[in-house]
Short mmCIF file of all heavy atoms in Angstrom, two decimals:
data_model
loop_
_atom_site.label_atom_id
_atom_site.label_comp_id
_atom_site.label_asym_id
_atom_site.label_seq_id
_atom_site.Cartn_x
_atom_site.Cartn_y
_atom_site.Cartn_z
N HIS A 179 -81.92 6.66 23.81
CA HIS A 179 -82.51 6.89 25.13
C HIS A 179 -83.38 8.16 25.12
O HIS A 179 -84.54 8.14 25.56
CB HIS A 179 -81.37 7.03 26.14
CG HIS A 179 -81.82 7.20 27.56
ND1 HIS A 179 -81.55 6.27 28.54
CD2 HIS A 179 -82.51 8.19 28.18
CE1 HIS A 179 -82.05 6.68 29.69
NE2 HIS A 179 -82.65 7.85 29.50
N GLU A 180 -82.81 9.25 24.60
CA GLU A 180 -83.55 10.51 24.62
C GLU A 180 -84.70 10.53 23.62
O GLU A 180 -85.75 11.09 23.89
CB GLU A 180 -82.59 11.68 24.38
CG GLU A 180 -81.49 11.82 25.43
CD GLU A 180 -82.00 11.78 26.86
OE1 GLU A 180 -83.15 12.22 27.11
OE2 GLU A 180 -81.26 11.29 27.73
N VAL A 181 -84.52 9.91 22.46
CA VAL A 181 -85.62 9.83 21.50
C VAL A 181 -86.78 9.03 22.09
O VAL A 181 -87.96 9.39 21.92
CB VAL A 181 -85.14 9.22 20.16
CG1 VAL A 181 -86.33 8.88 19.26
CG2 VAL A 181 -84.20 10.18 19.44
N ALA A 182 -86.47 7.97 22.81
CA ALA A 182 -87.52 7.15 23.43
C ALA A 182 -88.33 7.96 24.44
O ALA A 182 -89.52 7.69 24.66
CB ALA A 182 -86.91 5.93 24.10
N HIS A 183 -87.70 8.96 25.05
CA HIS A 183 -88.42 9.81 26.01
C HIS A 183 -89.50 10.66 25.32
O HIS A 183 -90.39 11.18 25.99
CB HIS A 183 -87.45 10.73 26.74
CG HIS A 183 -86.82 10.10 27.95
ND1 HIS A 183 -87.53 9.37 28.88
CD2 HIS A 183 -85.52 10.10 28.37
CE1 HIS A 183 -86.71 8.96 29.83
NE2 HIS A 183 -85.48 9.36 29.54
N LEU A 184 -89.43 10.79 24.02
CA LEU A 184 -90.48 11.51 23.31
C LEU A 184 -91.82 10.79 23.45
O LEU A 184 -92.88 11.40 23.37
CB LEU A 184 -90.12 11.64 21.83
CG LEU A 184 -88.89 12.49 21.50
CD1 LEU A 184 -88.47 12.28 20.05
CD2 LEU A 184 -89.18 13.98 21.76
N GLN A 185 -91.75 9.48 23.68
CA GLN A 185 -92.96 8.69 23.89
C GLN A 185 -93.19 8.36 25.35
O GLN A 185 -94.33 8.39 25.83
CB GLN A 185 -92.87 7.38 23.09
CG GLN A 185 -94.07 6.45 23.27
CD GLN A 185 -94.05 5.31 22.29
OE1 GLN A 185 -93.93 5.50 21.08
NE2 GLN A 185 -94.14 4.08 22.80
N GLU A 186 -92.12 8.05 26.05
CA GLU A 186 -92.22 7.66 27.47
C GLU A 186 -91.38 8.61 28.31
O GLU A 186 -90.16 8.48 28.38
CB GLU A 186 -91.72 6.22 27.66
CG GLU A 186 -92.47 5.17 26.87
CD GLU A 186 -93.85 4.88 27.43
OE1 GLU A 186 -94.09 5.23 28.61
OE2 GLU A 186 -94.68 4.30 26.72
N MET A 187 -92.00 9.59 28.95
CA MET A 187 -91.27 10.58 29.75
C MET A 187 -91.03 10.04 31.16
O MET A 187 -91.38 10.66 32.16
CB MET A 187 -92.04 11.89 29.79
CG MET A 187 -92.04 12.65 28.48
SD MET A 187 -90.38 13.22 28.00
CE MET A 187 -90.13 14.56 29.15
N ASN A 188 -90.44 8.87 31.23
CA ASN A 188 -90.16 8.22 32.51
C ASN A 188 -89.12 7.13 32.24
O ASN A 188 -88.64 6.98 31.12
CB ASN A 188 -91.44 7.61 33.09
CG ASN A 188 -92.09 6.65 32.11
OD1 ASN A 188 -91.58 5.57 31.83
ND2 ASN A 188 -93.24 7.06 31.56
N HIS A 189 -88.78 6.39 33.28
CA HIS A 189 -87.85 5.26 33.12
C HIS A 189 -88.54 3.96 33.54
O HIS A 189 -87.93 3.10 34.17
CB HIS A 189 -86.57 5.48 33.93
CG HIS A 189 -85.68 6.55 33.35
ND1 HIS A 189 -85.58 7.80 33.91
CD2 HIS A 189 -84.88 6.55 32.26
CE1 HIS A 189 -84.74 8.53 33.19
NE2 HIS A 189 -84.31 7.80 32.18
N GLY A 190 -89.79 3.83 33.16
CA GLY A 190 -90.55 2.63 33.48
C GLY A 190 -90.26 1.49 32.52
O GLY A 190 -89.49 1.64 31.57
N PRO A 191 -90.89 0.34 32.74
CA PRO A 191 -90.66 -0.84 31.90
C PRO A 191 -90.93 -0.59 30.41
O PRO A 191 -90.19 -1.09 29.55
CB PRO A 191 -91.64 -1.87 32.47
CG PRO A 191 -91.84 -1.45 33.89
CD PRO A 191 -91.78 0.05 33.87
N ALA A 192 -91.96 0.19 30.11
CA ALA A 192 -92.28 0.47 28.70
C ALA A 192 -91.17 1.27 28.03
O ALA A 192 -90.84 1.06 26.86
CB ALA A 192 -93.61 1.20 28.59
N PHE A 193 -90.58 2.19 28.80
CA PHE A 193 -89.48 2.99 28.26
C PHE A 193 -88.29 2.10 27.92
O PHE A 193 -87.75 2.15 26.82
CB PHE A 193 -89.07 4.06 29.27
CG PHE A 193 -87.75 4.72 28.94
CD1 PHE A 193 -87.68 5.73 27.99
CD2 PHE A 193 -86.58 4.31 29.57
CE1 PHE A 193 -86.47 6.32 27.66
CE2 PHE A 193 -85.36 4.90 29.25
CZ PHE A 193 -85.31 5.90 28.30
N TRP A 194 -87.86 1.29 28.89
CA TRP A 194 -86.67 0.45 28.66
C TRP A 194 -86.92 -0.59 27.57
O TRP A 194 -86.01 -0.92 26.80
CB TRP A 194 -86.24 -0.21 29.95
CG TRP A 194 -85.60 0.77 30.90
CD1 TRP A 194 -86.08 1.18 32.11
CD2 TRP A 194 -84.38 1.49 30.68
NE1 TRP A 194 -85.25 2.11 32.66
CE2 TRP A 194 -84.19 2.32 31.82
CE3 TRP A 194 -83.45 1.52 29.65
CZ2 TRP A 194 -83.09 3.16 31.94
CZ3 TRP A 194 -82.35 2.37 29.76
CH2 TRP A 194 -82.18 3.16 30.89
N ALA A 195 -88.14 -1.08 27.47
CA ALA A 195 -88.46 -2.04 26.41
C ALA A 195 -88.31 -1.38 25.04
O ALA A 195 -87.79 -1.98 24.09
CB ALA A 195 -89.88 -2.57 26.59
N LEU A 196 -88.73 -0.11 24.94
CA LEU A 196 -88.62 0.63 23.68
C LEU A 196 -87.15 0.86 23.31
O LEU A 196 -86.74 0.65 22.16
CB LEU A 196 -89.35 1.97 23.79
CG LEU A 196 -89.33 2.89 22.57
CD1 LEU A 196 -89.99 2.22 21.37
CD2 LEU A 196 -90.01 4.22 22.90
N VAL A 197 -86.34 1.28 24.29
CA VAL A 197 -84.92 1.53 24.04
C VAL A 197 -84.21 0.25 23.62
O VAL A 197 -83.49 0.21 22.61
CB VAL A 197 -84.23 2.14 25.27
CG1 VAL A 197 -82.73 2.30 25.02
CG2 VAL A 197 -84.84 3.50 25.63
N GLU A 198 -84.41 -0.81 24.40
CA GLU A 198 -83.68 -2.06 24.15
C GLU A 198 -84.12 -2.74 22.86
O GLU A 198 -83.33 -3.45 22.23
CB GLU A 198 -83.86 -2.99 25.35
CG GLU A 198 -83.15 -2.46 26.60
CD GLU A 198 -83.54 -3.21 27.86
OE1 GLU A 198 -84.33 -4.18 27.76
OE2 GLU A 198 -83.06 -2.83 28.95
N ARG A 199 -85.36 -2.52 22.46
CA ARG A 199 -85.84 -3.12 21.21
C ARG A 199 -85.09 -2.53 20.01
O ARG A 199 -84.82 -3.24 19.04
CB ARG A 199 -87.34 -2.88 21.07
CG ARG A 199 -87.94 -3.49 19.80
CD ARG A 199 -89.44 -3.65 19.90
NE ARG A 199 -90.14 -2.39 20.01
CZ ARG A 199 -90.77 -1.96 21.10
NH1 ARG A 199 -90.78 -2.71 22.19
NH2 ARG A 199 -91.40 -0.79 21.11
N HIS A 200 -84.74 -1.27 20.11
CA HIS A 200 -84.10 -0.60 18.97
C HIS A 200 -82.59 -0.42 19.16
O HIS A 200 -81.89 -0.12 18.20
CB HIS A 200 -84.75 0.75 18.73
CG HIS A 200 -86.18 0.66 18.31
ND1 HIS A 200 -86.57 0.27 17.04
CD2 HIS A 200 -87.33 0.88 19.00
CE1 HIS A 200 -87.89 0.28 16.97
NE2 HIS A 200 -88.38 0.64 18.14
N CYS A 201 -82.12 -0.58 20.38
CA CYS A 201 -80.69 -0.39 20.66
C CYS A 201 -80.19 -1.58 21.48
O CYS A 201 -80.17 -1.53 22.71
CB CYS A 201 -80.47 0.92 21.41
SG CYS A 201 -78.74 1.30 21.73
N PRO A 202 -79.76 -2.64 20.83
CA PRO A 202 -79.37 -3.87 21.54
C PRO A 202 -78.14 -3.72 22.44
O PRO A 202 -77.92 -4.57 23.30
CB PRO A 202 -79.10 -4.86 20.40
CG PRO A 202 -78.86 -4.02 19.19
CD PRO A 202 -79.70 -2.80 19.37
N GLN A 203 -77.35 -2.67 22.26
CA GLN A 203 -76.16 -2.48 23.09
C GLN A 203 -76.43 -1.58 24.30
O GLN A 203 -75.51 -1.03 24.90
CB GLN A 203 -75.01 -1.91 22.27
CG GLN A 203 -74.41 -2.92 21.29
CD GLN A 203 -73.19 -2.37 20.58
OE1 GLN A 203 -73.33 -1.55 19.67
NE2 GLN A 203 -72.02 -2.81 20.98
N THR A 204 -77.69 -1.47 24.67
CA THR A 204 -78.08 -0.61 25.79
C THR A 204 -77.32 -0.94 27.06
O THR A 204 -76.73 -0.07 27.71
CB THR A 204 -79.59 -0.70 26.03
OG1 THR A 204 -80.28 -0.05 24.95
CG2 THR A 204 -79.99 -0.02 27.33
N ASP A 205 -77.34 -2.19 27.48
CA ASP A 205 -76.68 -2.58 28.74
C ASP A 205 -75.19 -2.32 28.68
O ASP A 205 -74.59 -1.82 29.65
CB ASP A 205 -76.94 -4.06 29.04
CG ASP A 205 -78.38 -4.32 29.44
OD1 ASP A 205 -79.08 -3.35 29.80
OD2 ASP A 205 -78.81 -5.49 29.40
N GLU A 206 -74.55 -2.64 27.57
CA GLU A 206 -73.12 -2.42 27.42
C GLU A 206 -72.78 -0.93 27.48
O GLU A 206 -71.80 -0.53 28.12
CB GLU A 206 -72.64 -3.00 26.09
CG GLU A 206 -71.15 -2.90 25.87
CD GLU A 206 -70.71 -3.45 24.52
OE1 GLU A 206 -71.58 -3.96 23.78
OE2 GLU A 206 -69.50 -3.36 24.21
N ALA A 207 -73.59 -0.11 26.85
CA ALA A 207 -73.36 1.33 26.85
C ALA A 207 -73.54 1.92 28.25
O ALA A 207 -72.75 2.78 28.67
CB ALA A 207 -74.31 2.02 25.87
N ARG A 208 -74.54 1.46 28.97
CA ARG A 208 -74.76 1.96 30.33
C ARG A 208 -73.59 1.59 31.24
O ARG A 208 -73.15 2.40 32.07
CB ARG A 208 -76.07 1.42 30.89
CG ARG A 208 -77.31 1.92 30.16
CD ARG A 208 -78.57 1.34 30.76
NE ARG A 208 -78.83 1.91 32.09
CZ ARG A 208 -79.72 1.42 32.93
NH1 ARG A 208 -80.42 0.34 32.61
NH2 ARG A 208 -79.91 2.00 34.09
#
Side-chain angles (χ1 to χ4, degrees):
H179 183 115
E180 299 310 329
V181 169
H183 275 315
L184 295 167
Q185 178 170 307
E186 301 286 343
M187 289 295 287
N188 56 69
H189 288 105
F193 167 80
W194 287 113
L196 179 61
V197 176
E198 291 169 3
R199 181 161 64 249
H200 296 285
C201 183
Q203 288 185 285
T204 290
D205 289 343
E206 183 182 358
R208 294 180 71 192

